[in-house]
Amino acid sequence: MFKKIMVPVDLAHKSSLSRSLELAAQLARENGATVWYVGVTSDAPGKLGHTPAEYAKKLEAFAASETETHGHQASSTAVVANDPAADLSAVLLKAAHEIEADLIVMATHGPAFTDRIWPSHGEQMARKFPGSIFLVRQDPIHPDERTAT
Amino acid sequence: MTDTPPDTGIPEPEGVSDVIETEYEIGQDNVEGSLGPIGFDIHNPVFAVSGMAIVAFVFYTLALPEQAGSLFSAMFDAVTKGFDWFFLGAANIFVIFCLLLIVTPMGSIRLGGSEATPDYTYMGWFAMLFAAGMGIGLVFYGVSEPMSHFSSSIGGISVGENGVRTDWAPLGGAEGDQEAAIRLGMAATIFHWGLHPWAIYAIVALALALFSYNKGLPLTVRSAFYPILGERVWGWPGHVIDILAVFATLFGLATSLGFGATQANAGLNELFGIPISDTTEVVLITAITAVALVSVLRGLDGGVKVLSEINMALALLLLVFVLLTGSTVAVLTGFFDYLWAYVEYLPALSNPVGREDVNFMQGWTSFYWAWWISWSPFVGMFIARVSRGRTVREFMICVLLIPSLVCVLWMSVFGGVAIHQVVQDGYTAAQEADLPLKLFKMLDELPLTGITSLVGIVLVIVFFVTSSDSGSLVIDTITAGGKVDAPVPQRVFWAIFEGAVAIVLLLSAGGLGSLQSMVISTGLPFTIVLLVMCVAIWKGLASERKA
């Protein structure tokens, strides 16, 4: 059903991605698809590398370790943004277009009041991406809690 | 399996550069978390100290406007009278240092490593430079400054009982000599907008780019001091440098916003009869800050860049219109004459000691130098962000000379046409009007007044928005320890407080004078920072490989 699955990754917050990474790997194995891990960096030195090239190497290593863990096909793309905080969804959409992704699996936070004036990146992507998008909440909601919300 | 598709935006391999090995990890002192749904990632203690100080400042000025006003006025007097020589001398050192870098072998060093390639075209680069660098100021002072210097020069000098000059004429003035007054007035204006301000910006920009792109240190002002302070730069000495940069930037911006609000108000009054009052200015600052917030949320590419391009087009249109409908030939021939006048008067105008024209030197030059210095972290960081891949020589020539020439052209056209209206046509409305109104009075005498005045107001407002947006980005980067991907709500906080500072200072007893005194007071310590920065740049460049 899917050939290219794009997974946006924030290497600084890997722990909050576990569910989306696992799901993307599972979907890739079932569909024989390739997962594209896309990371966004700026050209200024950051925690994850002094240069975009250094960041790209870290992203490649990350993709390789995911392949080893889950046994699926994977690639990685590091994208440079002038303003990674504000331009994130626009840059990711451009990357999805260039990769020709047919599915995006993306971690996102739980719904909040501020989403009404300040939508999450996941929500912004879902509005604009023409293909399918799977937004994965990191914290599973139990049935009991669901009735409460 | 890993591979990279084409067109990912990743620059070519960087080649050779002397990366500084430090134990410090970018963001290690940051506090990350969230307040409800709003995330934050801030440097401790730079954000806490500067944030709390600004909030306290706003409340103090609001609560005690009279007391605050007299305090600001006393500060202004003390700094301009006591340290005018220091501002002038330091600015001269910056120009000489920049020119030195052009001619020495260090000029061949490439920012971003020996193999780095430029990220932006020349046109895109210049558009961002102007919109961020001098936007509102150019619109505010384009007519008013040449006109003021022309009027004071032709009026000649007057000496008070204490033997101190009371006039505002630059140098010795040019009493009764129209031709000489025009040349002196234009030379003095160009002096304030030419090489000196751009040298100040170039130094901060070069320091940030060099220590960030070549040395791999965080994109924050303290990084430039690594060759001098070593690892201590990550402790309190570095915190103090960054906090000073935040204060200088914030008050520099607030002053520009204050000028912008008064001019937009004057223009709206002229066009639509909207009253000139504190209330109108507060409403204007609030409304424009709200627009700036939308621009902040849209990011650099969707917000500032688009607005900057719109404004560049509008500014160019207005410039061409004024040039064509005003006294075209006189202005065009004047351009070269004024440039020559600038060269002629430059040694005298930049002399820091033994001056008799104290009002001009303290009220205009010292204030301008402090203002440019307070803007330098902001404009410098912007220039640094877009200058990767250029050699030091190319960088210095482009940042120093080309923007200076465009400023000269702008001043020659707007000031030249306004002065021509007085000299040739006997139209003195612009000469007699208050500073914020002079532009609109000059436009009154040209065709399509309604449209051009409206364009003038839009220009001021859009420059206001881009300055507020990009200023918030820079302050946010500094207060996030050099991280450029900190959560956007932090930028919203700074954008709101830039507007708030502009409002409380305008409302304090001194009005615009209070804004000016805060600029000059925060500019003074930052001048010392800039002087030390020159030494650090020299040391940093010495260890890089020359081509």
Side-chain angles (χ1 to χ4, degrees), chain A residues 45-129:
Chain A
K47 202 174 181 175
L48 297 161
H50 293 109
T51 60
E54 219 176 290
Y55 175 85
K57 276 190 192 136
K58 285 198 176 155
L59 189 63
E60 275 181 22
F62 170 80
S65 87
E66 283 298 303
T67 309
E68 207 179 306
T69 312
H70 300 291
H72 61 292
Q73 293 276 310
S75 288
S76 68
T77 299
V79 191
V80 179
N82 291 321
D83 186 358
D87 290 340
L88 188 71
S89 46
V91 169
L92 286 175
L93 281 168
K94 191 168 169 249
H97 177 74
E98 280 168 10
I99 291 168
E100 296 177 343
D102 42 20
L103 171 67
I104 296 174
V105 177
M106 186 171 178
T108 184
H109 58 71
F113 172 75
T114 44
D115 288 346
R116 288 158 212 262
I117 43 170
W118 207 319
S120 66
H121 292 299
E123 192 177 329
Q124 291 177 40
M125 300 275 291
R127 280 186 191 175
K128 291 179 184 162
F129 183 58

Side-chain angles (χ1 to χ4, degrees), chain B residues 46-225:
Chain B
V46 172
F47 184 93
V49 173
S50 40
M52 282 192 295
I54 297 295
V55 173
F57 176 85
V58 167
F59 281 106
Y60 163 71
T61 317
L62 262 185
L64 301 165
E66 291 294 328
Q67 191 193 44
S70 36
L71 175 70
F72 300 148
S73 153
M75 275 162 57
F76 187 80
D77 281 352
V79 179
T80 47
K81 286 180 183 154
F83 294 93
D84 50 353
W85 61 272
F86 181 65
F87 283 119
L88 266 78
N92 293 342
I93 291 174
F94 300 145
V95 174
I96 293 166
F97 183 71
C98 289
L99 295 175
L100 207 62
L101 287 181
I102 294 176
V103 295
T104 58
M106 285 179 178
S108 63
I109 293 165
R110 195 170 286 280
L111 297 173
S114 59
E115 304 295 324
T117 49
D119 294 337
Y120 292 91
T121 60
Y122 281 112
M123 275 317 288
W125 193 25
F126 293 146
M128 286 192 268
L129 277 183
F130 288 116
M134 288 178 168
I136 294 177
L138 275 176
V139 185
F140 190 89
Y141 283 114
V143 170
S144 57
E145 188 174 354
M147 186 61 97
S148 299
H149 296 330
F150 163 72
S151 304
S152 59
S153 295
I154 205 160
I157 59 175
S158 54
V159 181
E161 285 175 6
N162 54 0
V164 178
R165 268 175 61 181
T166 53
D167 63 274
W168 283 78
L171 303 176
E175 194 170 355
D177 185 343
Q178 218 168 53
E179 199 55 40
I182 295 175
R183 293 187 82 240
L184 180 57
M186 291 307 294
T189 308
I190 294 169
F191 173 58
H192 291 151
W193 295 83
L195 289 177
H196 285 74
W198 290 98
I200 291 167
Y201 292 160
I203 282 175
V204 180
L206 178 63
L208 287 168
L210 177 70
F211 287 93
S212 196
Y213 295 134
N214 294 53
K215 314 286 186 186
L217 299 182
L219 188 67
T220 182
V221 182
R222 71 171 80 194
S223 296
F225 292 81

Side-chain angles (χ1 to χ4, degrees), chain A residues 13 42 45 50 74 76 82-83, chain B residues 1 3 32 120 212 216 385 491:
Chain A
H13 300 98
S42 88
H50 293 109
S76 68
N82 291 321
D83 186 358
Chain B
M1 181 194 87
D3 62 312
E32 239 180 299
Y120 292 91
S212 196
R385 287 283 294 272
R491 263 184 250 173

